[in-house]
Amino acid sequence: AAAGAPVRSFNFFSLYSWEPLSDTELAVYTQPNKAWLLDLGGCQELLFVNSIGLTSNLNQVMVGFDKVLTGRRNFPCTITQIRPVDVKLLKLTQQKQRQIKAEARDGQPPAAAH
């Protein structure tokens, strides 16, 4: 929900962090506040690998040209779509999901936390 409209490429100097969302989607952070959602044409072992690599040309990762690397034995995963992620919106959404609403049961006040 925090991903924007597709773009052709993004600047890539280093990989800050990454998170596989499925075997066809990967979130990569190039800085703590700059992230990209990559759609892949299916990526073997993506959910289970300990590290990944990204190909780039002249510090640019491009749709249809660059790939996600998951290991020597696995085929490279072609990037089919790139969308920028609104990291502030993503964090706000995650905070809202973590909130707990305490309500009394059957007229009983909620138990006090100790």
Side-chain angles (χ1 to χ4, degrees), residues 42-100:
C43 199
Q44 189 178 31
E45 302 289 326
L46 183 60
L47 295 170
F48 306 104
V49 296
N50 293 322
S51 63
I52 64 165
L54 284 178
T55 64
S56 63
N57 186 28
L58 300 173
N59 297 321
Q60 289 281 307
V61 173
M62 297 182 66
V63 169
F65 183 74
D66 287 301
K67 299 175 180 4
V68 174
L69 309 173
T70 59
R72 291 182 206 199
R73 295 185 311 255
N74 300 331
F75 287 106
C77 312
T78 301
I79 299 169
T80 59
Q81 182 172 259
I82 299 171
R83 293 184 286 162
V85 175
D86 183 336
V87 176
K88 287 182 182 179
L89 176 61
L90 179 62
K91 288 181 180 181
L92 183 63
T93 302
Q94 289 171 336
Q95 285 176 341
K96 286 182 180 178
Q97 289 174 346
R98 289 186 191 119
Q99 291 177 350
I100 297 172

Side-chain angles (χ1 to χ4, degrees), residues 17-30:
S17 70
W18 58 283
E19 181 179 348
L21 305 175
S22 70
D23 63 353
T24 61
E25 288 187 316
L26 172 69
V28 295
Y29 286 76
T30 54

